[in-house]
Amino acid sequence: MTEDRTLAEQAWAQAFGPLAPEDGLALREGTAWRHFPAPHPAHHAPLLSIADLDAFLATEAARSPRVSMAESRREGSAAVPPDEYLREDGRVDLPGLFHAFDGGATLVVSQFHEMHAPLMRFCRGLEQVFLHAVQANIYLTPPGAQGFRVHYDTHDVLVLQVVGEKRWRLFPGQPFPRPTRRTPWPGNIAPEGEPEVLTLRPGDTLYVPRGVMHDAAAQGGDAPSLHVTVGLLEPSLATVLRLAVDLLEETEPALRESFPTWRLAEGPGRLADLARPLAARLAEPAALERAALTLLDRLAGERPALLGRGLFAQMPEAETRLRLAPGALHALIPEAEGGASLRWVGAPVALDAAQAGWVERLAEGATPAELGEGALEFCRRLVRRGLLVRVS
């Protein structure tokens, strides 16, 4: 990955290769899976290695619930009982973990992007594209073994094959359409139709929308299968509407009225009359935009800042070329009365029209002198906040 590209551009190329952004966004809005063949076998090697996992397992961070194991041949649940690979305090018991792995159990490390800088930066780049949370879970499966039975995920995923080969079966249709975390596995769901079979090799990527039934098994031989499952944690419309109701309650007296359950005997029309004007308020652009901005602010606040400065910040001069810090999750939101709001991990920064234009130019790189009068002090303010970095 080259340094002249933004973090978002690097992450997009890593995940989707030459696919145009508009085609990738359309893919996210559909229900079809897609295979992206490797440009070369080492394509995903910079993100993770088995040696990285070995180093992690030797630390205090290797504990439940981040570490788990699964083996599809088990009776009942595929989950390996924790006492087979964990100590009583939740830390990994390495001899037990090695024994379970050698016996065919898959090692699962959840949220590894929180521990591993290359994955953290990759997830941050995709978050800048999609403006929702992105996570990375790790799956290391012994040769010829399978961790999980046929299932679906409750969010879209990208599978990055790093080491070895894994055979995937992907079934047509969605027996339980568009599932979310609030609609967990209901049980007794059988796949529909015959699956398409695909073998992922090192450097390959597979996109699987939520709800698509699938399973995966490592191929035989001497090499295990190591892959990263990148969770694309988009909020559902129901999530946004629930948040919009909560936010409207602060300012909308009608939402604080009592709900007259004692009127049920009068027929459903009476209660529907109460809800109808409130439904119209929820459909207003301002209510949905406020909810979307709140989700964006929460995302920025929950993620590590990855700001463009340390404890000592060197102030730029007029001819210093600057660029928006690639690791800081931010968004420029136009305001109805003009100007814009720069949303990031700190308090929103109110910008007038000229400053909003400067921020757009700084996304590509510019000097304060090129921006014009007043830009030097503005850039120094953003440097102090960690939102600008020097371009070498």
Side-chain angles (χ1 to χ4, degrees):
M1 291 189 282
T2 58
E3 294 301 322
D4 60 337
R5 294 185 293 180
T6 67
L7 201 63
E9 290 169 338
Q10 293 176 25
W12 185 270
Q14 184 76 54
F16 298 101
L19 186 70
E22 58 269 22
D23 293 333
L25 298 179
L27 186 66
R28 293 292 315 279
E29 293 166 355
T31 59
W33 60 269
R34 183 161 174 178
H35 174 221
F36 298 91
H40 54 81
H43 180 58
H44 296 313
L47 295 178
L48 184 69
S49 69
I50 295 177
D52 293 328
L53 290 180
D54 282 332
F56 162 73
L57 291 174
T59 70
E60 286 289 319
R63 59 174 57 242
S64 175
R66 191 179 299 276
V67 176
S68 60
M69 303 192 82
E71 211 282 299
S72 65
R73 294 175 298 183
R74 288 179 171 266
E75 296 269 345
S77 171
V80 177
D83 60 6
E84 293 189 18
Y85 61 94
L86 295 175
R87 300 180 183 182
E88 291 185 0
D89 62 2
R91 289 184 299 161
V92 161
D93 171 27
L94 279 179
L97 185 146
F98 294 152
H99 178 74
F101 182 79
D102 291 343
T106 292
L107 170 66
V108 183
V109 184
S110 301
Q111 312 287 321
F112 200 53
H113 65 285
E114 296 177 353
M115 319 289 298
H116 191 56
L119 285 174
M120 179 185 292
R121 290 174 60 82
F122 172 69
C123 289
R124 176 61 47 81
L126 290 183
E127 287 172 345
Q128 291 177 352
V129 174
F130 295 120
L131 298 182
H132 63 58
V134 177
Q135 68 180 22
N137 294 342
I138 311 305
Y139 298 84
L140 181 63
T141 303
Q146 179 174 335
F148 297 94
R149 305 181 187 103
V150 176
H151 66 284
Y152 60 70
D153 293 307
T154 57
H155 52 262
D156 297 355
V157 299
L158 282 167
V159 180
L160 314 181
Q161 188 70 26
V162 182
V163 174
E165 297 184 358
K166 207 158 199 179
R167 184 216 61 192
W168 285 71
R169 295 192 304 165
L170 299 114
F171 292 84
Q174 292 192 13
F176 198 79
R178 293 296 193 184
T180 71
R181 289 184 177 182
R182 293 171 66 93
T183 54
W185 180 261
N188 299 321
I189 290 184
E192 299 177 349
E194 291 299 315
E196 292 193 55
V197 180
L198 171 72
T199 297
L200 287 190
R201 296 178 172 84
D204 282 0
T205 301
L206 177 65
Y207 168 71
V208 184
R210 59 192 170 113
V212 172
M213 301 283 283
H214 62 271
D215 67 3
Q219 298 299 279
D222 298 327
S225 166
L226 173 64
H227 79 257
V228 182
T229 293
V230 180
L232 305 174
L233 308 180
E234 68 278 9
S236 68
L237 183 57
T239 297
V240 175
L241 289 175
R242 282 192 294 269
L243 179 57
V245 169
D246 289 342
L247 295 172
L248 273 177
E249 186 181 2
E250 301 171 4
T251 57
E252 187 65 48
L255 273 174
R256 301 194 292 271
E257 291 287 347
S258 299
F259 186 76
T261 51
W262 51 88
R263 298 288 186 187
L264 284 170
E266 298 178 10
R270 177 73 176 87
L271 299 180
D273 288 340
L274 290 173
R276 195 168 289 112
L278 298 177
R281 289 282 285 115
L282 283 175
E284 293 177 0
L288 295 179
E289 288 175 5
R290 185 183 179 196
L293 285 176
T294 299
L295 288 172
L296 183 62
D297 291 342
R298 289 179 181 176
L299 175 63
E302 291 168 356
R303 289 300 187 256
L306 295 182
L307 297 179
R309 61 159 291 180
L311 290 173
F312 177 74
Q314 184 179 1
M315 290 297 103
E317 302 299 332
E319 299 298 332
T320 305
R321 183 157 294 276
L322 302 166
R323 188 178 193 173
L324 289 177
L329 185 64
H330 57 264
L332 194 63
I333 308 299
E335 298 288 354
E337 60 275 13
S341 173
L342 182 61
R343 320 291 288 215
W344 65 303
V345 66
V349 180
L351 307 175
D352 60 30
Q355 292 169 338
W358 291 345
V359 169
E360 290 179 340
R361 292 184 62 184
L362 286 165
E364 300 298 327
T367 69
E370 293 170 350
L371 298 178
E373 184 178 354
L376 178 58
E377 183 51 37
F378 174 76
C379 289
R380 287 177 172 175
R381 282 169 47 205
L382 295 192
V383 167
R384 292 187 185 97
R385 287 180 165 94
L387 280 167
L388 291 181
V389 294
R390 291 169 176 255
V391 179
S392 56

